[in-house]
Amino acid sequence: MALNNSYDARLVQQETAVGAGIQVLLLALLGTAIGMGPAGWLTGLAFAIATWAVLSRALHRSRLRSFGAANRVTLGRAILVGGVTALVADSFQDSPPVTLFVGLTAVALILDGVDGKVARRTGTSTPLGARFDMEVDAFLILVLSVYVSMAMGPWVLLIGGMRYVFVAAARVWPWLNAALPPSTARKTVAALQGVLLLVAGANLLPHLVNVGVAALALGLLMWSFGRDVLWLWRTSRVRQTHVERPTRELVAQ
């Protein structure tokens, strides 16, 4: 039995290795197509190695016996995000072809709505899959905000950095780690971030319009995060009141 579990584990880990290999192949194709410089290559390779290492460790800890179709879709998105990351890193020297940048990003954004549906239809939804999907989304938004900020200023980085600031704040204030209720508005705002940043970054519209699009993305995100933080704070206060009330009654007795 132990041998079968070990074999299954190796099969799952092989999927991440294949993903890393495809990532390197994509970087080679991009390098051939646009003559990508060292910055793009190094950043893309660093992304591939980091994704493989983190995902392999997470799979080992979760003990999944099958990688699953939904995770394969998310891994495909991660590979595309790695390509976008390499293009953005290379853009500090030379601007990437708009069609290539838009194409890779658009496919990654479209597939964002596929992996969840696949997981639900196949009954393979897992906490690891949800976290993997969320981290890929967050990193793509961060990369796009870096790209757009080069034309509009550092304020755009707030869009990509807000989620990571929230995670860091949750280490200081644990009440931020509480589960949030499902929200269509939250999902809609999150989905719009990539689309709006891509529109602004494609630079197909007048500059002022692009600035307005990026500002809209930031405004929506601040509203969404602000609403969630307020809900978490109020919920934590209510829970604290319920805990303190019996304690005061016991002391009074």
Side-chain angles (χ1 to χ4, degrees):
M1 193 69 174
L3 290 176
N4 288 337
N5 287 339
S6 176
Y7 180 71
D8 289 340
R10 285 198 299 269
L11 283 179
V12 172
Q13 295 293 344
Q14 284 174 6
E15 303 244 15
T16 64
V18 170
I22 296 175
Q23 179 74 84
V24 174
L25 177 60
L26 176 60
L27 293 175
L29 293 174
L30 292 176
T32 302
I34 67 172
M36 194 161 59
W41 269 104
L42 290 174
T43 304
L45 289 173
F47 178 88
I49 294 171
T51 301
W52 170 79
V54 173
L55 185 55
S56 295
R57 182 180 179 184
L59 286 168
H60 177 73
R61 296 175 65 178
S62 66
R63 298 184 180 277
L64 287 181
R65 295 177 61 85
S66 173
F67 193 67
N71 283 335
R72 291 188 187 101
V73 176
T74 308
L75 182 59
R77 284 203 302 121
I79 292 169
L80 294 174
V81 171
V84 174
T85 302
L87 291 177
V88 171
D90 194 61
S91 69
F92 283 90
Q93 295 179 341
D94 299 300
S95 297
V98 174
T99 53
L100 184 59
F101 172 76
V102 171
L104 286 179
T105 306
V107 174
L109 292 173
I110 291 171
L111 288 177
D112 184 27
V114 174
D115 46 12
K117 292 181 180 179
V118 171
R120 289 188 291 272
R121 288 182 180 180
T122 58
T124 54
S125 298
T126 63
L128 173 62
R131 181 66 182 272
F132 185 25
D133 176 58
M134 181 176 63
E135 294 299 340
V136 172
D137 291 343
F139 193 79
L140 177 58
I141 299 304
L142 176 62
V143 170
L144 291 177
S145 68
V146 170
Y147 182 73
V148 176
S149 71
M150 288 188 282
M152 299 184 188
W155 64 270
V156 184
L157 295 174
L158 292 171
I159 300 173
M162 199 172 300
R163 189 255 173 182
Y164 296 99
V165 171
F166 180 85
V167 172
R171 293 181 177 273
V172 180
W173 297 294
W175 52 269
L176 289 171
N177 288 311
L180 286 163
S183 170
T184 301
R186 185 190 309 118
K187 293 179 180 179
T188 302
V189 170
L192 282 175
Q193 296 305 302
V195 176
L196 293 174
L197 284 173
L198 178 58
V199 170
N203 204 27
L204 299 176
L205 301 174
H207 179 71
L208 288 179
V209 176
N210 288 331
V211 171
V213 170
L216 175 62
L218 178 59
L220 289 172
L221 195 62
M222 291 180 67
W223 170 79
S224 180
F225 268 97
R227 189 184 67 154
D228 286 344
V229 169
L230 182 59
W231 185 90
L232 289 169
W233 180 78
R234 286 176 174 173
T235 303
S236 70
R237 298 294 295 176
V238 171
R239 289 174 179 171
Q240 185 177 359
T241 300
H242 286 314
V243 170
E244 291 178 350
R245 185 176 298 168
T247 303
R248 287 196 299 266
E249 291 175 354
L250 286 174
V251 171
Q253 292 175 0

